[in-house]
Every structure is written in C-alpha cells, then in structure tokens.
Amino acid sequence: MEKKLNKNICCIGAGYVGGPTMSVIAFNCPDWQINVVDINADRIRSWNSKDLTKLPIFEPGLDKIVKKCRDVNLFFSTKIEENIAKADIIFLSVNTPTKKRGIGAGYASDLKWIESSARQIAKFSEGHTIVVEKSTLPVKTAETIKTILHSFEQDDFISLGKKKKTFSIVSNPEFLAEGTAINDLLNPDRVLIGGEDEHSIKLVADIYKTWVSPKKIISTNLWSSELSKLVANAFLAQRLSSINSISALCEFTGANINEVSGAIGADTRIGQKFLKPGPGFGGSCFKKDILNLVYLCRFYGLNEVADYWEQVVNINLWQQNRISSLIIKNLFGTLSNKSLAIYGFAFKANTNDTRESPSINISKNLLQEGAKLTFFDPKVNETQILNEFNEFLYEGNIKVKDTALDAAKGTDAIIVLTEWEEFKYLDWHSIFKIMRKPAWVFDSRICLDQKHLKNIGFKVWTLGTTD
Ligand code: UDX
Ligand code: UDX
C-alpha cells in the first residue's frame, strides 16, 4: 500500500558513512527531512555538539555542512522507533565487521547489526518503506533483509485492523573515501543503485539527481550492485598490493618506485590514481571486503579465485612486516633500550580513523622487539592510540605527545606511517638536535624531502628506493 510521500529519510548508523552521506543529502535536498539515528547515545551527543570541532568524525568540509543543516532538515537522535515509522526511505549504515567466531570466522561479515536493524524496521515502519543498503554487504544480503521484512508483511496482514506494511529493497553502496568524503559525495564518479522495482530505484535516484548528473547514475539488479561494491574495493586494494610488492623489488634493483609508478601510470589504460606506494592499506573496508569476497568464492567452490584475491591481503600484511623488519635491521638488529617516534596513527591523512591502520601492526612488531614508542598524530587522541596496545603496556613504554618535536625527544628513529601534510614542514633541524645519534628517519609514505633530511645529518630510509 502506498503511503503519501512525507519526504522523510531515516538513516540507521551515524558513523563514518551514515553521518557524512546524510549531511550531504540534507545539504542538497532542503525539502527532505533527514533523521540520522544511532544506538550509541554518546555518538549522537557529539553529532549535536555546539562546538563543531567535537563532531565524532573529522572530515574536511563536514563541519560547515552540519552547521548549515543541523536542526533545519538534518537531525541526529537516538529515537530509532519513531523515525523509522515516519520514513519513506531508510538507509542502513550500520557496521558489518568480520566475524570473529563460528562459520566463516575471519572472513565472512557479521550481519547481526543488519539483522537487528531489519527487525526494527519490520516492527516499527508504517505503510510502504524503501530500505536502502548503504553499508557494504556480502552478496545476497538483500535476500536476508527481504525474508525478515516480508515475514512481517505477512504478520501484519494477518493481524486484522492494521495498515498493511510493504517494503522494497534497494542497494546503494557508498564509494566515499575518508579524508575526501565530502568531495566524493558532492562529486561522485558514479552513484550505483541496484533494485528490483523501477519505482523505488527512481525515487532514490531522484534524490541524487538534485546534485549529480543523471549520466553518472547507474542502475543495476540488486546482486550486481552488492557485488560491484566488493569488487571495486578489491580492485583498488589489488593495485596497492601490486605497487607495494614492486616497492620491495625497487629497493634491491636501484629502480625508484615513484618513477616506476609515474611511468606505468602514464599509460591511460593503467592510470595514475591509486598507485602511491606505502606501508600497506588500512581502513575499515579493504581487508574486510576482500575477505568477504574470498569467503564467497570458497562457498561456491571457486578456490582458485579465492586464493587469488586472498593474496592481495597477504601481500599487505607482508609489506607491513617487512618494513618493521628493516627498521630493526638498520637499528643494529635490536630495539632493546631504543626509543622510536611514530609519526602518524590514522590509516591515512585527513582522518581521525585508525581502523586497520598499518601503524598498529608495525608498532606492535616494534614493541615485540623491546622498543619504547612515542606517538604523534595531529588528529588521533591518546586514548584511541593506547586502546590498541593494552597487552603491550608496561612501565611507560608507550607515550603519546601533542607535538612532533616532543615525540622526537631522545629517540633513535622517526617512523613516518601517515602522510600528514604538516610532516613535510616540520622544523627538522630542531628535531635532529634532540634525538640520539645516529638519528634515523624511516619514510614509509615517501612524503619527506630526503635530500634536506640527509643534509641536516639524518640517516634516511625511504620506501622503494636505494638512495
Ligand atoms: C560501516 C562499515 O564499516 C562499512 O563497511 C559500511 O559500508 C558502512 O558501515 P562506518 O560508518 O565507518 O562503516 O561504521 P561506524 O563508524 O562503525 O558506524 C556504524 C554506526 O552504526 C555506529 O555508530 C553504531 O553505533 C551504529 N549502529 C550499529 C546502530 O545504530 N544500530 C545498530 O544496530 C548497530
Ligand atoms: C575505500 C574506498 O576508496 C572507498 O571507495 C570505499 O567506499 C571505502 O574504502 P577509504 O578506506 O576511506 O576508502 O580510503 P582510501 O583512500 O581508499 O585508502 C585506503 C588505504 O589505502 C589507506 O590506508 C591509504 O593510505 C592507502 N592508499 C590509498 C595507498 O597506500 N596508496 C594510494 O595510492 C591510495
């Protein structure tokens, strides 16, 4: 049964995906009311904070949009039930972490939050509701959501006297990259909408058409849309594992990885983007999504395909481990009684997100060798860093400092693991003076001026070069 369009959207999950995505929709669609709901009351409180530097997510440009739209047509609350009831369209943006136990542990996504959200929608929605999968999900998740929702359609139909509920499921995966989320949302390469009924696809497409060219809006069937999201992330990650594997070869052959990356990327069939070598990819998506793909392939007996994609994740871990090993090797094979400064804890620049950050694994390897570590990251706070190392903490072996200079004091080496722009412009002369000699810089992001550092007196290791 059709309900009169209230122009009302509810988004379940006020995280890195739900928050920025809904803010941009609210900004472009002033005639729609957007309610972002979350079970985490602290997170909602932060979203409603008067001080815009206290938003739970740091994302360039987000604060300005929130300032303009919040409490106008964008609302953050914990009132899940009433906002589900009012909504024409409900976006599911809850987290889908890799399962830690049971069937598929270590590979498959844990869909418990998707399932509980679907049950809430089934219970509290009214009339016709379009349910949009925004979270990245294993292929065929829409089937699970449909089964839950349709069983409630039946229940309601049977319990006489109530208005019949109906649902359509649409897949509309997010392609935003953290740090550039607002720009990615405002100027997307494409918007993908997969579904089974034209009406629902059109309604969701009409929202995006207020600021995205119709040429960029692709509609597919549900399963193509779900699979395309996993494959897009797998291809992106594959490029990184490919270039990172070659960075190791450069270090033996005298080739320079930046030159190689520039030369191959000049071929328009390959392209320049996403070829920047580094300490391996992090973030909440790449590893999780590839492992999901691997699980799916094994489930259907495609073991060779599964092994092929799993290698992308293996090389990523190998890159992190080899960087840790060569730091140890260069520091005379032992880190006992040595202090190292870790510059950068976020998984990439311009975000405060540390999920799957290469800094975590590399730091753990160094701690295991007995190193003392001092961290500095411009956007990641002390608690967030210390939480990652609970099992390694003893006698102040891990410290977090507010400035790069403080973090460097008395250390033997600086390990650059996130490419924060400000690292380029640090007062490296002053840093050198307060370090123990020989003073090392290990630049895993190739973001510093190697020549300048060497002139000051540093010993420098830069990823993918023999210089
Ligand atoms: C997550 C996934 O990591 C990503 O793969 C997917 O594409 C989108 O969802 P993200 O937004 O980064 O991305 O996750 P997170 O920042 O953890 O936010 C999820 C939010 O959902 C949390 O604030 C959590 O409290 C909330 N949530 C979870 C609910 O409101 N209800 C639930 O039942 C479960
Ligand atoms: C990714 C996808 O890009 C996005 O489309 C999807 O929706 C979510 O997952 P995100 O993880 O936020 O986005 O950031 P991304 O820019 O893709 O970076 C992922 C990791 O790869 C980071 O650790 C980054 O430092 C690394 N990276 C990226 C490189 O090492 N080199 C590059 O050239 C690009």
Side-chain angles (χ1 to χ4, degrees), residues 31 37 48 57 89-91 94 100 123 134 142 154 171 179 186 213 223-224 274 304 318 323 368 384 433 456:
D31 52 339
V37 296
N48 283 321
I57 286 161
I89 304 179
I90 300 178
F91 285 82
V94 296
K100 291 209 170 92
K123 195 163 170 198
K134 183 52 91 179
Q154 283 285 337
S171 160
L186 288 172
S213 154
W223 320 124
S224 303
F274 242 75
E304 287 76 6
W318 171 82
I323 291 174
Q368 244 145 12
Q384 222 178 323
K433 275 191 207 140
I456 294 172

Side-chain angles (χ1 to χ4, degrees), residues 174-178 229 233 236 240 274-278 280-283 285-286 347-348 419 445:
E174 49 91 8
F175 292 107
L176 59 89
E178 287 174 33
K229 172 59 205 266
N233 273 355
L236 289 168
L240 299 180
F274 242 75
L275 277 186
K276 183 124 184 41
F281 54 77
C285 285
F286 282 177
F347 80 97
K348 61 187 277 196
E419 73 285 22
R445 292 283 187 172

Side-chain angles (χ1 to χ4, degrees), residues 192-405:
L192 179 57
I193 305 174
E196 288 172 332
D197 75 279
E198 293 292 324
H199 175 72
S200 303
I201 293 178
K202 184 178 175 307
L203 205 68
V204 176
D206 282 347
I207 290 174
Y208 287 102
K209 276 183 196 162
T210 54
W211 79 96
V212 179
S213 154
K215 283 191 213 129
K216 288 188 172 177
I217 298 179
I218 303 170
S219 69
T220 66
N221 76 31
L222 260 177
W223 320 124
S224 303
S225 174
E226 286 183 338
L227 184 58
S228 300
K229 172 59 205 266
L230 290 185
V231 173
N233 273 355
F235 267 60
L236 289 168
Q238 180 199 39
R239 273 172 83 87
L240 299 180
S241 278
S242 299
I243 200 72
N244 286 339
S245 71
I246 301 301
S247 73
L249 192 57
C250 287
E251 289 163 28
F252 286 107
T253 54
N256 176 310
I257 192 64
N258 265 353
E259 290 176 0
V260 173
S261 151
I264 63 166
D267 184 329
T268 52
R269 292 170 303 175
I270 296 175
Q272 296 282 1
K273 288 186 184 164
F274 242 75
L275 277 186
K276 183 124 184 41
F281 54 77
S284 72
C285 285
F286 282 177
K287 185 172 155 201
K288 168 172 74 70
D289 292 350
I290 296 173
L291 293 178
N292 227 310
L293 192 65
V294 169
Y295 181 72
L296 205 66
C297 294
R298 293 232 163 91
F299 181 81
Y300 290 114
L302 299 168
N303 291 321
E304 287 76 6
V305 184
D307 291 347
Y308 173 76
W309 286 106
E310 192 161 21
Q311 196 55 19
V312 172
V313 176
N314 293 343
I315 286 284
N316 197 51
L317 185 60
W318 171 82
Q319 176 81 338
Q320 295 170 15
N321 290 340
R322 93 176 179 85
I323 291 174
S324 323
S325 300
L326 64 85
I327 292 169
I328 299 163
K329 195 169 140 236
N330 278 303
L331 297 178
F332 311 117
T334 175
L335 300 184
S336 295
N337 296 321
K338 292 203 174 96
S339 294
L340 313 180
I342 305 289
Y343 279 13
F345 201 68
F347 80 97
K348 61 187 277 196
N350 295 322
T351 176
N352 60 346
D353 192 351
T354 61
R355 290 175 293 180
E356 299 291 338
S357 173
S359 278
I360 299 171
N361 188 38
I362 293 175
S363 300
K364 283 186 180 170
N365 289 340
L366 301 174
L367 287 165
Q368 244 145 12
E369 284 289 325
K372 291 191 166 71
L373 300 183
T374 317
F375 290 88
F376 169 67
D377 187 290
K379 290 285 174 206
V380 182
N381 66 41
E382 182 169 4
T383 324
Q384 222 178 323
I385 296 177
L386 293 181
N387 277 346
E388 293 293 341
F389 301 110
N390 286 331
E391 74 272 37
F392 289 91
L393 284 170
Y394 67 91
E395 293 167 11
N397 63 331
I398 302 179
K399 294 198 182 92
V400 180
K401 298 287 179 182
D402 289 336
T403 67
L405 192 65

